[in-house]
Amino acid sequence: MGVLEKIRDIEQEMARTQKNKATEYHLGLLKAKLARYRAELLEGQSAKSGGKGEGFDVAKSGYGRAVLIGFPSVGKSTLLSKVTNTESVAAAYAFTTLVAVPGVLDCEGAKVQLLDLPGIIEGASSGRGRGRQVVAVAKTADLVVMMLDVTKGDEQRQQLEHELEEIGIRLNRSKPDVVFKAKTAGGITINSTVPLTRTDERTIRGILQAYKIHNADVMIREDISTDDLIDVILGNRKYVPCLYVYNKIDSISLEEVDRLARLPHTMVMSCELDLNLEVFKRRVWEKMGFNRVYTKKRGEEPDLGDPLVIKTDATMEAVCDSVHRGIKNKFKYAVVWGKSSKFAPRPQKVGLTHRCAQDDVVSIVTNV
């Protein structure tokens, strides 16, 4: 029996099994087997294809990479052309884009690589069409931009989320707060700092045994599910922020536009009418987690025309690296004006571990 047949049998058994406390352990073991077989399938097909494939080996550049994911003819190529001045062939029929087309998005001073990927079709995670190459490139992204045709309802979104979930991409979720460490002896030790309501110790031990793990330390610091535990054990999941972009809003009512615009991680636009293109850039900035700080030389006004772009949670060390790689070796202290100063609006003297806030002004003092 091949891997695909094994996967199909497990999925059918899971569908037949009622979900309750009595079947929780059995379902947990089935999920573990299913995840293992899917991993085998992906690794096998990736090896056969020899990597991403021709037209998909695009080197990363800029401050980060955002990928446009969507079904054929939802407007990805049109969006790329309008926000990056990159020519990506667009037409009113499916599968116009056949390779990854890169463009550069100027996102409030930050250069972001925006990749237009071929349209995903159903079954992409199982290798249909060029879906496997598309999703493999998506795993390298710092942001997934899921483009949807607003006239198609929620079916497209659910289907795309399913395909990405199957390939190991987790959208708008953080990595489970679990420390898993395999060891050579000593059996399995499970500790939890929180009550577990979505799984139990018996199920956890069963899942570990399904992966032939008989010696390990597991520290659980949040209420995880069996799926979360499997993700931690496999260790190959990618947790990526996602921006859902509903295109062609000129085809629906204002009430429906308002409803969609209020959904979390979502924005609406019309590429054909150039509606919300600037909003798109701003939302990419926010979802990529960028922060902007300004530098100031001693005795001079801050340089507001040339900000440094860093990550939101970046420290003063990252600011130094943005100025020059060697400057932190000569770092003495920095003076910061803005929201991160605990004496605001007055400045504060800080060290390398200080975390900057949006639009801070920074003056770095060195030993030389």
Side-chain angles (χ1 to χ4, degrees):
M1 183 183 291
V3 176
L4 281 173
E5 288 76 16
K6 291 178 181 178
I7 290 174
R8 194 176 302 115
D9 288 348
I10 294 174
E11 288 175 336
Q12 290 173 354
E13 186 175 349
M14 289 176 65
R16 290 193 301 266
T17 305
Q18 292 185 348
K19 294 181 181 180
N20 53 51
K21 272 289 181 184
T23 61
E24 194 173 82
Y25 177 76
H26 179 62
L27 284 170
L29 297 186
L30 289 176
K31 287 179 179 179
K33 289 180 181 179
L34 184 61
R36 191 174 77 244
Y37 287 138
R38 281 177 176 159
E40 289 177 10
L41 180 67
L42 297 182
E43 289 168 6
Q45 293 198 0
S46 179
K48 288 178 184 177
S49 65
K52 295 184 182 67
E54 185 180 352
F56 288 82
D57 292 322
V58 181
K60 268 187 144 182
S61 64
Y63 285 93
R65 169 181 283 181
V67 295
L68 282 166
I69 291 284
F71 283 92
S73 303
V74 294
K76 301 188 307 299
S77 298
T78 303
L79 176 63
L80 183 78
S81 299
K82 293 201 172 185
V83 298
T84 69
N85 295 320
T86 300
E87 288 301 321
S88 182
V89 179
Y93 50 86
F95 308 109
T96 308
T97 303
L98 298 177
V99 297
V101 181
V104 178
L105 176 67
D106 189 345
C107 192
E108 299 192 26
K111 303 296 184 185
V112 175
Q113 185 184 61
L114 186 61
L115 281 184
D116 176 19
L117 299 180
I120 288 185
I121 60 173
E122 186 177 4
S125 59
S126 299
R128 289 187 62 196
R130 306 201 75 177
R132 181 149 316 276
Q133 293 102 316
V134 171
V135 184
V137 175
K139 271 196 167 185
T140 69
D142 303 299
L143 172 67
V144 170
V145 177
M146 188 181 292
M147 198 148 187
L148 304 160
D149 186 334
V150 76
T151 64
K152 305 292 185 182
D154 291 330
E155 183 180 342
Q156 283 191 345
R157 174 169 172 169
Q158 293 167 0
Q159 208 165 312
L160 288 170
E161 287 176 335
H162 173 75
E163 295 295 338
L164 295 175
E165 185 81 13
E166 296 289 281
I167 209 77
I169 296 176
R170 307 292 181 251
L171 301 177
N172 294 323
R173 286 160 52 187
S174 56
K175 187 177 180 180
D177 194 0
V178 176
V179 178
F180 170 76
K181 185 177 181 181
K183 53 187 183 181
T184 56
I188 294 173
T189 304
I190 301 172
N191 292 296
S192 176
T193 60
V194 296
L196 298 179
T197 63
R198 302 162 68 194
T199 188
D200 54 40
E201 186 170 326
R202 177 170 175 258
T203 304
I204 292 171
R205 290 182 180 275
I207 291 171
L208 290 171
Q209 289 170 4
Y211 283 98
K212 296 181 173 56
I213 298 171
H214 306 293
N215 301 284
D217 290 328
V218 183
M219 171 61 73
I220 303 171
R221 296 185 288 208
E222 69 171 290
D223 188 14
I224 62 168
S225 65
T226 53
D227 293 320
D228 293 330
L229 177 66
I230 293 168
D231 284 353
V232 171
I233 293 171
L234 290 174
N236 59 357
R237 300 325 197 198
K238 182 72 185 290
Y239 299 84
V240 189
C242 176
L243 177 63
Y244 299 97
V245 178
Y246 284 91
N247 189 29
K248 306 180 184 180
I249 58 171
D250 49 303
S251 304
I252 59 173
S253 67
L254 288 176
E255 290 78 13
E256 182 65 6
V257 170
D258 182 66
R259 184 189 72 81
L260 291 171
R262 294 177 185 274
L263 295 176
H265 313 294
T266 300
M267 67 161 292
V268 295
M269 67 160 39
S270 172
C271 289
E272 288 299 323
L273 299 181
D274 293 347
L275 293 176
N276 278 353
L277 295 182
E278 291 302 317
V279 174
F280 172 74
K281 295 179 182 180
R282 188 167 66 248
R283 293 298 301 274
V284 169
W285 168 280
E286 294 169 356
K287 295 294 287 184
M288 294 282 279
F290 288 144
N291 184 10
R292 179 178 44 233
V293 297
Y294 301 92
T295 55
K296 177 184 180 302
K297 293 182 179 179
R298 186 179 296 182
E300 298 182 12
E301 292 296 314
D303 184 3
L304 301 180
D306 187 21
L308 298 175
V309 178
I310 58 176
K311 286 292 186 177
T312 299
D313 59 351
T315 62
M316 189 59 65
E317 184 175 356
V319 175
C320 291
D321 287 340
S322 295
V323 176
H324 189 278
R325 282 288 177 183
I327 199 170
K328 64 184 176 187
N329 299 324
K330 306 173 185 177
F331 181 87
K332 188 175 182 181
Y333 64 87
V335 180
V336 59
W337 291 260
K339 295 177 183 177
S340 73
S341 170
K342 62 182 180 181
F343 308 124
R346 291 181 295 152
Q348 178 189 358
K349 185 186 291 187
V350 300
L352 282 174
T353 59
H354 177 80
R355 297 192 181 278
C356 298
Q358 189 76 257
D359 295 325
D360 274 355
V361 175
V362 173
S363 181
I364 299 173
V365 179
T366 62
N367 288 315
V368 179

